[in-house]
Amino acid sequence: MEKSRVLVVGGTGYIGRRIVRASLAEGHPTLVLMRPEIGLDIDKLQMLLSFKAQGARLVEASLEDHAALVAAVAQADVVISASAMSGVHLHSHNLSLQHQLVEAIKEAGNVKRFIPSEFGMDPSKMGHALEPGRITFDEKMELRRAIEEANIPHTYVSANCFAGYFCPNLCQMGTLLPPKEKVLIYGDGNVKDTNFANQVVVGHFYHIFYEGCLTNFEIGDDGAEATLLYPEVQYTRMGEYMKKYL
């Protein structure tokens, strides 16, 4: 099978580091964007150097340096963005950076496939989402429109809830560990949370658990279920996954 030159943007993040390792494991010539904004973050630098030791090539470019970004993109067949989009106060900034990546891909003109940073609930199905959490979906749809208007070949990945963030803690905010004494049920109508970040999270919980928006829909002709696309993958069932926390 012909291998693709894969450029990963955001390769040191939660998702990005796993994409880099998977790309290398599949034998793809893998490039990882190394941004000068890394500054004095020694952990990220060491991770990038570990990727290099495993065979990846580090490409220096800032997402805010258009010429350098175009030059980086021009070296790849596939561009995967794993830039963080989950932090409430990061949305607008990271959306702007992804738009700059779209402009670079458009100018380079050689990319065969672009996978933008989404990886959560499908924003195209969340037009009814509650404020203030709907900002997540509105901004992702804005980016989708830019990608499609630029006629960039693309794939959107909707992975819904990441198990490590939602399962062992039974969706209790502020912890990643299983609760030992009590479980809080959010949204009884008696207390109004004034914390903006908590409002966003509780809004998402409402759509996920009350509306069932991650399960009650048809994928449609323009999408595909990943387990059907990749039946060779050994998927972990929830009961087995939770055993590590016992």
Side-chain angles (χ1 to χ4, degrees):
M1 180 183 296
E2 182 180 354
K3 301 297 182 180
S4 300
R5 296 172 298 163
V6 178
L7 172 64
V8 181
V9 179
T12 60
Y14 177 73
I15 300 174
R17 71 187 72 172
R18 290 163 172 80
I19 291 175
V20 172
R21 291 166 185 158
S23 180
L24 289 169
E26 290 294 322
H28 296 291
T30 304
L31 303 89
V32 183
L33 196 72
M34 183 167 68
R35 299 167 58 187
E37 292 86 353
I38 191 173
L40 299 177
D41 193 326
I42 189 68
D43 288 332
K44 286 187 177 181
L45 176 59
Q46 293 296 333
M47 188 182 302
L48 289 167
L49 292 175
S50 74
F51 293 152
K52 182 181 179 182
Q54 295 170 53
R57 184 155 62 88
L58 305 183
V59 181
E60 294 189 53
S62 170
L63 288 174
E64 296 173 321
D65 183 340
H66 181 70
L69 192 56
V70 171
V73 166
Q75 302 175 54
D77 304 308
V78 176
V79 176
I80 303 175
S81 174
S83 298
M85 287 290 289
S86 58
V88 173
H89 302 294
L90 296 176
H91 282 300
S92 296
H93 178 62
N94 284 331
L95 179 74
S96 173
L97 294 181
Q98 283 214 92
H99 274 285
Q100 293 175 46
L101 183 56
V102 168
E103 289 300 314
I105 293 172
K106 180 180 178 181
E107 181 171 329
N110 60 287
V111 173
K112 298 176 182 177
R113 182 67 46 179
F114 175 44
I115 301 175
S117 183
E118 286 203 2
F119 308 112
M121 288 184 278
D122 185 348
S124 69
K125 294 180 170 62
M126 299 305 297
H128 67 292
L130 299 173
E131 297 284 3
R134 68 169 299 137
I135 186 175
T136 306
F137 311 112
D138 290 343
E139 291 185 346
K140 287 180 179 179
M141 286 305 297
E142 183 181 333
L143 184 68
R144 283 189 179 191
R145 285 191 290 271
I147 293 168
E148 291 159 15
E149 288 172 3
N151 292 315
I152 296 172
H154 59 272
T155 297
Y156 302 132
V157 177
S158 298
N160 300 323
C161 300
F162 297 125
Y165 280 105
F166 287 85
C167 294
N169 60 0
L170 302 182
C171 292
Q172 300 297 285
M173 292 187 290
T175 180
L176 293 176
L177 298 173
K180 293 182 172 58
E181 296 180 357
K182 63 180 179 180
V183 175
L184 297 178
I185 299 176
Y186 304 110
D188 62 3
N190 296 319
V191 179
K192 301 299 182 182
D193 195 327
T194 58
N195 181 286
F196 180 79
N198 287 350
Q199 289 177 353
V200 171
V201 173
V202 171
H204 290 335
F205 283 179
Y206 173 82
H207 297 303
I208 295 167
F209 300 113
Y210 182 76
E211 291 186 334
C213 64
L214 301 186
T215 56
N216 297 334
F217 64 86
E218 296 294 329
I219 292 177
D221 296 334
D222 61 342
E225 165 58 51
T227 56
L228 300 179
L229 287 177
Y230 308 104
E232 71 279 7
V233 174
Q234 296 297 312
Y235 296 94
T236 304
R237 293 186 177 277
M238 192 53 60
E240 187 66 27
Y241 177 84
M242 291 295 289
K243 286 180 180 179
K244 68 178 73 176
Y245 293 95
L246 297 178

